[in-house]
């Protein structure tokens, strides 16, 4: 995910959120574990970048 721009990462997050919603509404067992894992990876990456941006902003 390091190769993705912040915009691309947000688009991927949006798509995964829609997929999670769809799976939750259409499958009795809920969202597929792989979809949940991918969503968590993207959220972690977004959080890491937000922390890095905040740290870099405080250094200036």
């Amino acid at each position: 995910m390091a190769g993705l721009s912040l915009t691309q990462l947000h688009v991927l997050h949006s798509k995964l959120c829609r997929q999670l919603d769809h799976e939750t509404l259409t499958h009795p067992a809920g969202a597929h574990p792989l979809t949940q894992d991918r969503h968590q990876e993207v959220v972690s990456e977004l959080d890491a970048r937000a922390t890095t941006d905040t740290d870099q902003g405080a250094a200036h």
Side-chain angles (χ1 to χ4, degrees):
M1 274 188 264
L4 296 176
S5 71
L6 186 56
T7 301
Q8 291 171 320
L9 198 56
H10 278 289
V11 169
L12 181 57
H13 179 260
S14 177
K15 288 180 179 183
L16 282 166
C17 286
R18 287 191 309 239
Q19 183 66 28
L20 281 171
D21 288 345
H22 172 74
E23 290 177 10
T24 300
L25 293 171
T26 59
H27 299 284
H32 192 280
L34 186 57
T35 307
Q36 293 173 341
D37 289 346
R38 289 178 178 164
H39 178 257
Q40 186 55 49
E41 288 176 19
V42 171
V43 168
S44 295
E45 180 67 20
L46 285 169
D47 289 345
R49 290 189 189 192
T51 301
T52 301
D53 290 345
T54 302
D55 292 344
Q56 289 177 355
H60 292 281

